[in-house]
Amino acid sequence: MRLTRSLEERLVAWYRQGRIPGGVFRSLGQEAAAVGSAYALGPDDVCSPVIRDLGSMLVRGAKPPQVFRQYQGKAGSPTRGRDLHVMFSDLGRGYLGHIAPLGVMLPVIAGVALSFKLNREPRVVLAYSGDGATSTGAFHEGLNFASVQRLPLVVLVENNGFAYSTPTGSETVIEHLSDKAAGYGIPGVSVDGNDVLEVHQVTRAALEKARSGNGVTLIEAVTYRRAGHAEHDDQRYQSKDEIAEWERRDPVTRYVDRLVTEGWADPGKLADLDHRVTSELDQAVAACENDPLPDPGTALTDVYANPATAEPLWYRSI
Ligand SMILES: Cc1ncc(C[n+]2csc(CCOP(=O)(O)OP(=O)(O)O)c2C)c(N)n1
Ligand SMILES: [Mg+2]
């Protein structure tokens, strides 16, 4: 959680310096949902993160230099400048990059879970979703199919109170998003999304249930988006009191307090961990900040399965 937060803070600084060509979507205040749940996955399992789930990718082994290169669209980034921010996959580490239209990853990920079932592999899939995405047709079709087929899937909905500027109450009339599970005949549970251990325990139980052939679970992690939708968004539609209230429930502070009060870690050890995060990020920045951008002449390469070989038409004019 500390690595996720500090990495995103560096990205924000770069964004303000005009060094990021796309958007920066932060998970400030909701890191526990992505991190606590991803730690419940086994080494051969797969997850499909969405925009606030950088933490899950770091848990699965994504490295900060990769993330910095990707955000800057560098030639050496995971998508070699073809896509931006967290939209990249690493099948070896078990995460699938998402595609921008909300909800459409659910049918894709249901297909991944179906392949595990057909091949009798004891692997499970953890699909992340925002609250807004649960109101799309694709989400419904994907979840319905997965439920009917009893696929090894867990869907974790991060209810952070907003879909861009639309409050959750204007996206859906139900109060608890876990109640949507009833429409699919699967169990649904709501958890405190800012309690990393609760998220972890509930996700782990649901993943094991899926692994033993007992089907899909829908988990709602109740949290709050303390930053804007992305860095360009001034959040004028969010109440300052509400943001302050959720800052008091910050998942990192809460976990640190618990580690210290219950005697799991002393403050010195936690300070060492903070230093480690800072130096890992310093090294990552040094390793990649002067990397080159991709050669524009290669823009069509690797975009389609059978890449076009001709130069892009506009290339000759630059
Ligand atoms: C089908 C579709 N409609 C609209 C958008 C534009 N859009 C991108 S993110 C977003 C908000 C998503 O809200 P939510 O699912 O709650 O996730 P959050 O950003 O809160 O993590 C919107 C409206 C989109 N990408 N796809
Ligand atoms: Mg949301």
Side-chain angles (χ1 to χ4, degrees):
M1 288 194 285
R2 289 289 290 110
L3 182 61
T4 308
R5 182 162 303 176
S6 300
L7 200 165
E8 289 183 352
E9 282 166 358
R10 303 249 180 157
L11 291 170
V12 169
W14 275 10
Y15 179 84
R16 291 182 184 160
Q17 293 162 8
R19 295 164 70 187
I20 305 267
V24 173
F25 304 83
R26 296 165 87 182
S27 57
L28 177 68
Q30 51 184 94
E31 295 90 344
V35 170
S37 55
Y39 269 112
L41 290 160
D44 297 324
D45 297 336
V46 170
C47 68
S48 84
V50 285
I51 44 178
R52 319 264 171 225
D53 299 314
L54 174 64
S56 71
M57 298 161 81
L58 294 170
V59 169
R60 301 296 285 168
K63 297 293 172 213
Q66 279 187 305
V67 179
F68 286 128
R69 289 190 184 101
Q70 174 74 7
Y71 265 86
Q72 291 203 295
K74 295 289 178 101
S77 70
T79 58
R80 292 193 268 156
R82 271 62 169 170
D83 211 333
L84 292 172
H85 59 90
V86 293
M87 293 186 181
F88 65 98
S89 302
D90 188 331
L91 297 181
R93 292 188 170 115
Y95 54 83
L96 282 176
H98 73 293
I99 30 186
L102 297 173
V104 298
M105 281 309 285
L106 244 288
V108 174
I109 211 75
V112 175
L114 179 64
S115 77
F116 293 163
K117 184 176 174 182
L118 292 177
N119 292 330
R120 297 181 198 285
E121 292 179 88
R123 302 166 75 186
V124 294
V125 190
L126 172 61
Y128 293 95
S129 170
D131 43 278
T134 68
S135 297
T136 63
F139 181 91
H140 162 69
E141 290 179 28
L143 187 50
N144 189 57
F145 178 80
S147 305
V148 165
Q149 298 288 334
R150 293 180 78 75
L151 298 181
L153 174 69
V154 174
V155 178
L156 185 98
V157 177
E158 294 156 302
N159 182 357
N160 61 3
F162 291 89
Y164 209 128
S165 53
T166 307
T168 312
S170 303
E171 300 158 20
T172 177
V173 291
I174 56 170
E175 195 184 339
H176 306 291
L177 292 178
S178 52
D179 287 347
K180 291 200 177 193
Y184 304 94
I186 57 170
V189 56
S190 291
V191 299
D192 177 347
N194 284 22
D195 180 339
V196 69
L197 293 182
E198 187 180 339
V199 171
H200 178 73
Q201 280 156 3
V202 171
T203 311
R204 194 167 58 179
L207 288 169
E208 288 324 309
K209 181 170 167 293
R211 201 185 306 281
S212 50
N214 292 312
V216 185
T217 303
L218 180 68
I219 303 172
E220 174 195 36
V222 180
T223 182
Y224 188 81
R225 199 194 71 203
R226 286 189 0 235
H229 174 64
E231 280 310 297
H232 63 268
D233 172 15
D234 66 9
Q235 319 170 252
R236 72 182 69 172
Y237 51 86
Q238 281 179 266
S239 122
K240 291 201 169 53
D241 289 347
E242 196 172 61
I243 296 172
E245 164 60 24
W246 280 90
E247 199 167 354
R248 284 190 283 279
R249 296 187 233 168
D250 181 77
V252 181
T253 316
R254 271 174 69 182
Y255 189 46
V256 164
D257 286 350
R258 187 162 173 190
L259 287 173
V260 173
T261 347
E262 294 181 13
W264 296 102
D266 61 67
K269 194 169 169 188
L270 293 168
D272 286 349
L273 194 139
D274 283 346
H275 290 311
R276 235 173 59 206
V277 166
T278 307
S279 85
E280 185 176 353
L281 292 175
D282 287 344
Q283 284 169 30
V285 168
C288 68
E289 70 178 334
N290 297 318
D291 279 9
L293 289 168
D295 172 3
T298 67
L300 298 184
T301 314
D302 295 338
V303 174
Y304 297 101
N306 296 311
T309 46
E311 284 176 350
L313 287 176
W314 43 263
Y315 185 51
R316 259 167 265 244
S317 61
I318 57 173

